[in-house]
Amino acid sequence: MTAILSEYYTLFVIVILAFITPLIFTRTGIPVVVGEILLGLGVGTVMFVTYSLFDVELLEVGEAIGFLAKIGFIFLMFLSGLEIDFGKIESGGNRAVAKGTVMFLMTLLIALPLTAWVVGSTSIHFDSMYMTIVLSTTSVAIVLSVVREMHMSQTRYGQEIIITALIADIGAMILITIYAIRYEVLSTGDVTFGVVAVAIFLLIFIMFYVVYRLGSYAMWWYPAVMKKFFQSDDPHELGVRASRAIIFTFFAISAVVDSEALAVLGAFLAGAVVSLMFQEGAILSKKLYGIGYGFLVPIFFINLGITFNFDAIFNVEALLLIPLLFGIVIVAKILPAIILSTKGDLKRNLASGVLMTGGLTLMIAGGEIGLSLGIIDETAHAVTILLAVIISIITPTLFNILFQRFHLEEKG
Amino acid sequence: MNSIIVGGGRLGRQLMHRIVDAVVIENEDIRVRELQREFGEERVIKGNGVNESILLQAGVGEHTSLVIATNDDHTNYMIALVAKRMSVHRIIVKVEQPDSIELFERIGVNSVICPAMAAAGMINGELYKDMRRVFELPVMDNSSFRGRELSEIDLPGEAMVVAVMRGQNLMRPADDLQLQRGDHVVLYSLGPLPQEVERIVQGGEQPMTPFRNILVLLRNEGDLRVTLPESVAVVRSVGGSLILASTKEDLLNEGRRLAAEEGVRADERLVPSLEFAMLNHLMAERFPDVECIAISTDPDMRKKGFGPWALGGFLDFVRVPVLICKGTIPYENMVTLLDQSPCASVSADLALRMAIRSEAALTVLTYFEGDEGKDVVADLMHLARLYDVRVIDQGVEGNPTIDFVAEVRSNDHDLVVMNWRCRGLKRNIMRRIVLESPNSVLVVTGTRKTDLDENHYQRLL
């Protein structure tokens, strides 16, 4: 069926929505990216209704939009990697890193049997182990913004929350990739694919190390040349070009085999290596955030809303699955926080457990990868997206309330 | 000026007895009733100290001395933040965990007191008090001893001058002996040396010298060729004295002889090991008063517990500046980086004092996002004009690490002043600067803030 309005108009709608979203959502406390999905869902609802009632496709969502959205997704993963502050992990010390790792592993252990139980009692198809990993993700961006807002980024408590979120982010990304490769090998029986994928998986990490060493080497031996990458008035935008080259080098290596998981990991590690080398280059970071969040990423998020599969979500099982998975996320994040608490910090850890539940970007990334590989079906994918949106809206607010309340209960 | 205490525990109660017009804020009902019985209702406010309205109700304002003494460091931190926002004149905080001290220092409270550490210090003092009856103090520029005969000097307390060291000569304390700058006065005291005596001999609350003594680690012959001459040159230009530490007695003897030849007095300490891991322990036990440590980065030493990671760990731990000697003396051109790190004022202060004393030019790279923290640069520039120091202010536009490396590697500077806690610099590059920089590096450690105020500097002079 031909759509009434061509892809140019779809792009026009996306760009207009991308423009008005920050204006609408900045003051609401809802993250702008969530706002983009919500507005995209709004447009998607209109399209769904017109299609259902009049059998008319309103906007064309073809290859061009799909391509831009995919680049947006890759850039989003790159920006997620860019959020990783290795300086914080290093300065946090072994204790904070160990605590973060244990919390992440405990989250997985608690979520796994609960998710397996849900899988057994529903007809919606999703792999329990994979969904467990997806549910264990945390949104570093949300955690960082809340912790900064509450002036806690310099406190030990705030540092521990940030480090735990960073570890959950890195750990989930790596586990999603490993599991996706394993699933593809087992489901297709293609051993060659498996060998190549594992080789590329390792190669991406070797690349990460090599690029980091090369960057550090260049910083030390050729600082005058490296300075050009960070000049604000550079008409050639060398820094942006170099960062893009790094992203697509990682992307190209991972694209040797057709694996979305490896591509996502590649983009994520490209961001992480740029962060590791040049975290303090505020001008470069601003330019990269500008390109990403100003153009490509909104296309991905709004497209996600517009192309949302409403058919898949409108059934009782799917609608029940959302609160069930939400409950699992809450329990799996809060229980470790409580178990690892001492008497004095129980309430604060409870609040931080709530904040850790918000895994927007990686949860959506996990959903996308899972759908492309068939690890989860359309319904589970739609549930994952809605769950990510709901969690991102609820948890920062809930954390604020809990933190204030617990704090006021403390002695003055 | 009024005094407010937040937290009516044991400490708060003791303070209420001592400060008769102080008001206490307490949240716990039972404790509030007890305090009201003991000190009267008008001196006790019930409420949470984190709440600004409660602080205002207690009378907190710009002229208040606020003592924050609850038993929870996090609560204390939140109260300190609120108090800072209210521009409280003086904030004194009690902390439970020694690790938390840095956090409070970062937000700029006036004093942070950890009862456990204070008690440890007092016990340590008690343990060693008999051994510390003989003291040696250098005569500084602004000392009231300078140019006067010993007979004219009255020392407070039970302290007396028993000898004077001039270069390598030990002189009897004759009445007509006129003291000169650089002399070391040897005093005998029946108890701990009163601070007033230190002030009279050395002059001012703190001398302008960045450090009153430098601990020189003599690990091999190379240190006698590089570390010791540079430390001697620093003492000769900026003041202070040396403490030589080594595992080998012959190195100590040679070190003392070389220092004496240059007219610099040096104490010696034979130690069991100088490995960084061991040094952490030794610093607390044997050298609690050291104000700077001078070391070299001899490649031969890396395999013996002095590698880059061991050095990094040591710099994480140590609380005094560490001078990494490369032999680039005298210091005529210095460079430092100032950014929004809370500790930037310490780098600025040390770099400026070194520049004043060494009569060196100072290049300052500044990296600020927004105006927050920029007052450090303004204060530094003002003081530099006052003390006739040539400062080149270079704003960093792109990446501070790269700009700083470019300056360090340009070979235009003799001394790099670098803050180990500086947020704008990559840790791996800082390690590289320490190990491979062609210039000497003064690594500023710790995170405390300092005062770059004109009046403060005048006092120091």
Side-chain angles (χ1 to χ4, degrees):
Chain A
M1 186 192 302
T2 315
I4 297 173
L5 297 170
S6 72
E7 268 197 315
Y8 294 112
Y9 288 97
T10 312
L11 191 60
F12 168 73
V13 170
I14 289 174
V15 170
I16 293 297
L17 289 181
F19 168 60
I20 61 170
T21 313
L23 301 176
I24 297 172
F25 286 94
T26 306
R27 287 180 188 176
T28 60
I30 296 172
V32 171
V33 287
V34 175
E36 281 163 357
I37 300 176
L38 288 175
L39 288 189
L41 282 172
V43 176
T45 310
V46 173
M47 285 171 67
F48 178 70
V49 169
T50 51
Y51 182 74
S52 305
L53 296 179
F54 312 111
D55 206 17
V56 169
E57 193 85 68
L58 203 60
L59 291 167
E60 186 189 354
V61 183
E63 279 184 15
I65 299 288
F67 177 75
L68 283 174
K70 183 152 191 169
I71 298 294
F73 180 43
I74 293 300
F75 219 90
L76 175 68
M77 296 321 297
F78 170 79
L79 295 177
S80 294
L82 201 62
E83 298 274 4
I84 308 285
D85 185 345
F86 290 91
K88 278 215 161 47
I89 295 179
E90 190 178 358
S91 63
N94 294 338
R95 192 178 159 274
V97 173
K99 190 177 174 187
T101 311
V102 170
M103 290 251 303
F104 177 62
L105 293 176
M106 284 173 80
T107 302
L108 290 173
L109 284 175
I110 294 166
L112 185 60
L114 296 172
T115 317
W117 171 72
V118 173
V119 170
S121 49
T122 177
S123 64
I124 299 168
H125 167 67
F126 60 93
D127 184 282
S128 58
M129 184 67 219
Y130 186 77
M131 189 56 94
T132 299
I133 301 169
V134 171
L135 295 182
S136 70
T137 56
T138 297
S139 172
V140 172
I142 291 177
V143 168
L144 271 178
S145 67
V146 171
V147 166
R148 279 182 194 145
E149 231 167 67
M150 302 193 73
H151 305 288
M152 293 191 306
S153 55
Q154 293 302 318
T155 66
R156 176 185 278 201
Y157 175 57
Q159 288 281 330
E160 273 187 12
I161 294 180
I162 293 170
I163 290 170
T164 308
L166 289 173
I167 286 167
D169 225 25
I170 298 168
M173 198 60 251
I174 292 171
L175 286 182
I176 284 174
T177 314
I178 292 173
Y179 197 79
I181 293 171
R182 176 188 167 273
Y183 184 87
E184 209 163 349
V185 172
L186 290 180
S187 58
T188 59
D190 188 349
V191 180
T192 316
F193 167 83
V195 172
V196 177
V198 169
I200 287 170
F201 177 77
L202 295 174
L203 187 63
I204 291 173
F205 281 94
I206 294 168
M207 271 282 295
F208 178 87
Y209 181 73
V210 169
V211 172
Y212 167 64
R213 295 301 297 185
L214 279 176
S216 299
Y217 178 86
M219 275 169 100
W220 182 253
W221 291 106
Y222 305 104
V225 177
M226 295 300 283
K227 269 175 96 163
K228 291 179 185 164
F229 289 77
F230 295 90
Q231 282 167 356
S232 63
D233 56 353
D234 175 22
H236 306 298
E237 299 290 3
L238 264 179
V240 175
R241 287 175 195 233
S243 302
R244 263 199 320 244
I246 292 173
I247 305 172
F248 284 96
T249 306
F250 275 84
F251 189 57
I253 288 172
S254 53
V256 170
V257 286
D258 186 19
S259 166
E260 188 154 6
L262 281 172
V264 166
L265 179 71
F268 182 80
L269 288 182
V273 80
V274 171
S275 163
L276 186 56
M277 289 190 296
F278 312 123
Q279 178 87 60
E280 298 78 17
I283 290 175
L284 179 63
S285 298
K286 277 178 191 160
K287 283 177 184 170
L288 293 171
Y289 282 123
I291 294 170
Y293 289 117
F295 179 59
L296 291 167
V297 175
I299 294 179
F300 167 69
F301 277 121
I302 295 170
N303 184 55
L304 198 70
I306 290 177
T307 55
F308 185 77
N309 193 338
F310 287 94
D311 274 336
I313 201 80
F314 284 135
N315 62 72
V316 178
E317 255 190 327
L319 292 173
L320 271 177
L321 192 58
I322 296 173
L324 271 176
L325 292 182
F326 185 68
I328 291 174
V329 176
I330 291 280
V331 170
K333 295 278 183 174
I334 289 176
L335 259 185
I338 293 174
I339 293 168
L340 292 179
S341 294
T342 53
K343 195 184 166 194
D345 60 5
L346 175 70
K347 287 177 177 175
R348 267 188 246 148
N349 281 358
L350 187 70
S352 67
V354 169
L355 184 61
M356 290 293 163
T357 53
L360 178 72
T361 308
L362 288 190
M363 201 176 263
I364 287 172
E368 294 288 299
I369 294 168
L371 181 67
S372 71
L373 290 175
I375 304 176
I376 62 174
D377 65 11
E378 285 275 359
T379 307
H381 173 247
V383 165
T384 312
I385 290 169
L386 277 189
L387 186 64
V389 170
I390 292 167
I391 285 175
S392 305
I393 294 171
I394 292 177
T395 53
T397 317
L398 195 58
F399 172 77
N400 267 332
I401 295 167
L402 284 177
F403 186 80
Q404 299 283 0
R405 184 172 173 177
F406 290 156
H407 190 77
L408 288 174
E409 278 178 19
E410 287 174 8
K411 292 170 203 168
Chain B
M1 186 171 302
N2 59 340
S3 302
I4 315 275
I5 300 156
V6 185
R10 272 175 300 178
L11 176 63
R13 197 166 290 188
Q14 284 297 322
L15 285 169
M16 287 290 284
H17 280 296
R18 283 170 171 73
I19 313 167
V20 288
D21 59 344
V23 172
V24 66
I25 299 171
E26 173 57 52
N27 201 23
E28 211 173 89
D29 287 335
I30 300 169
R31 208 178 268 175
V32 168
R33 282 196 291 276
E34 286 171 5
L35 288 165
Q36 283 175 338
R37 268 200 301 276
E38 203 169 340
F39 301 105
E41 287 188 11
E42 67 285 355
R43 290 183 66 194
V44 183
I45 305 285
K46 185 188 178 320
N48 191 326
V50 180
N51 199 328
E52 192 173 328
S53 61
I54 295 291
L55 293 176
L56 286 170
Q57 188 192 334
V60 171
E62 287 184 8
H63 303 294
T64 299
S65 290
L66 183 70
V67 180
I68 304 169
T70 79
N71 293 325
D72 184 276
D73 286 352
H74 185 75
T75 306
N76 289 347
Y77 185 79
M78 299 296 281
I79 298 168
L81 278 178
V82 176
K84 282 298 290 180
R85 204 172 57 215
M86 293 170 75
S87 307
V88 172
H89 169 70
R90 187 164 177 77
I91 304 169
I92 301 162
V93 187
K94 179 197 84 167
V95 299
E96 293 295 323
Q97 298 297 327
D99 292 353
S100 306
I101 292 174
E102 275 183 29
L103 278 175
F104 287 93
E105 286 173 344
R106 277 187 212 168
I107 59 168
V109 300
N110 301 84
S111 304
V112 188
I113 294 158
C114 174
M117 283 179 72
M122 287 168 73
I123 292 167
N124 190 48
E126 282 298 311
L127 285 172
Y128 291 98
K129 76 176 181 188
D130 290 340
M131 295 161 62
R132 287 180 50 78
R133 283 190 173 169
V134 179
F135 300 87
E136 185 190 317
L137 297 171
V139 178
M140 308 301 294
D141 274 343
N142 53 337
S143 165
S144 54
F145 270 34
R146 192 178 165 206
R148 291 170 67 189
E149 291 183 357
L150 276 178
S151 59
E152 300 171 37
I153 296 161
D154 256 347
L155 281 177
E158 294 176 296
M160 64 183 291
V161 178
V162 291
V164 174
M165 285 293 300
R166 182 167 295 164
Q168 49 186 322
N169 299 323
L170 187 64
M171 303 167 80
R172 285 176 192 283
D175 281 353
D176 59 349
L177 179 63
Q178 202 174 45
L179 292 168
Q180 300 171 2
R181 176 186 179 274
D183 284 349
H184 282 69
V185 177
V186 183
L187 297 137
Y188 186 88
S189 173
L190 286 178
L193 193 67
Q195 279 193 341
E196 206 183 336
V197 175
E198 268 186 72
R199 270 204 302 276
I200 291 171
V201 178
Q202 295 185 312
E205 286 183 351
Q206 278 176 289
M208 187 58 168
T209 177
F211 0 86
R212 282 177 294 186
N213 53 49
I214 302 176
L215 173 67
V216 185
L217 306 187
L218 299 177
R219 295 172 301 192
N220 59 10
E221 296 286 331
D223 281 324
L224 288 177
R225 286 192 300 274
V226 179
T227 319
L228 183 65
E230 186 158 342
S231 307
V232 166
V234 171
V235 166
R236 288 187 67 174
S237 64
V238 308
S241 61
L242 295 182
I243 301 167
L244 309 179
S246 181
T247 54
K248 297 168 186 163
E249 210 160 346
D250 54 331
L251 285 179
L252 285 177
N253 292 334
E254 184 63 8
R256 189 190 57 222
R257 190 187 66 75
L258 290 171
E261 269 178 19
E262 296 293 326
V264 171
R265 169 97 178 116
D267 280 350
E268 313 132 58
R269 313 263 171 94
L270 197 63
V271 290
S273 169
L274 282 179
E275 283 189 20
F276 286 126
M278 191 69 186
L279 203 57
N280 289 344
H281 178 66
L282 276 177
M283 284 299 296
E285 289 284 317
R286 302 280 298 273
F287 307 113
D289 302 326
V290 160
E291 293 191 356
C292 176
I293 303 168
I295 58 171
S296 66
T297 51
D298 187 338
D300 290 347
M301 291 315 234
R302 291 194 191 173
K303 51 183 177 280
K304 296 176 188 169
F306 302 105
W309 290 100
L311 177 58
F314 176 61
L315 292 173
D316 280 339
F317 167 83
V318 75
R319 290 279 180 266
V320 296
V322 178
L323 179 64
I324 315 286
C325 300
K326 307 283 175 80
T328 49
I329 44 175
Y331 305 144
E332 290 174 350
N333 288 293
M334 295 162 43
V335 64
T336 192
L337 173 86
L338 300 181
D339 68 358
Q340 267 149 338
S341 310
C343 47
S345 59
V346 186
S347 302
D349 175 54
L350 267 183
L352 185 62
R353 289 207 214 182
M354 291 290 285
I356 293 171
R357 283 281 178 162
S358 315
E359 296 178 3
L362 177 62
T363 301
V364 182
L365 300 191
T366 51
Y367 177 69
F368 290 88
E369 291 176 54
D371 288 333
E372 193 193 334
K374 266 188 173 171
D375 48 343
V376 170
V377 182
D379 291 344
L380 174 82
M381 299 303 284
H382 174 67
L383 286 167
R385 273 194 297 277
L386 215 61
Y387 294 104
D388 206 20
V389 175
R390 193 163 69 91
V391 174
I392 303 152
D393 182 4
Q394 278 181 219
V396 174
E397 196 191 41
N399 185 295
T401 302
I402 292 174
D403 279 30
F404 196 57
V405 168
E407 282 297 326
V408 169
R409 288 185 49 79
S410 69
N411 243 337
D412 291 341
H413 312 286
D414 313 300
L415 182 70
V416 175
V417 180
M418 179 177 77
N419 202 308
W420 193 246
R421 309 268 171 174
C422 179
R423 283 184 198 157
L425 292 176
K426 283 269 166 229
R427 189 52 75 88
N428 65 326
I429 294 292
M430 284 202 274
R431 273 194 211 104
R432 202 151 188 176
I433 289 173
V434 165
L435 293 170
E436 296 178 32
S437 157
N439 338 101
S440 299
V441 184
L442 179 64
V443 184
V444 183
T445 56
T447 53
R448 69 194 159 79
K449 281 184 173 181
T450 194
D451 199 0
L452 280 170
D453 175 60
E454 185 183 326
N455 296 328
H456 179 63
Y457 261 64
Q458 274 171 358
R459 277 209 310 278
L460 299 183
L461 277 176

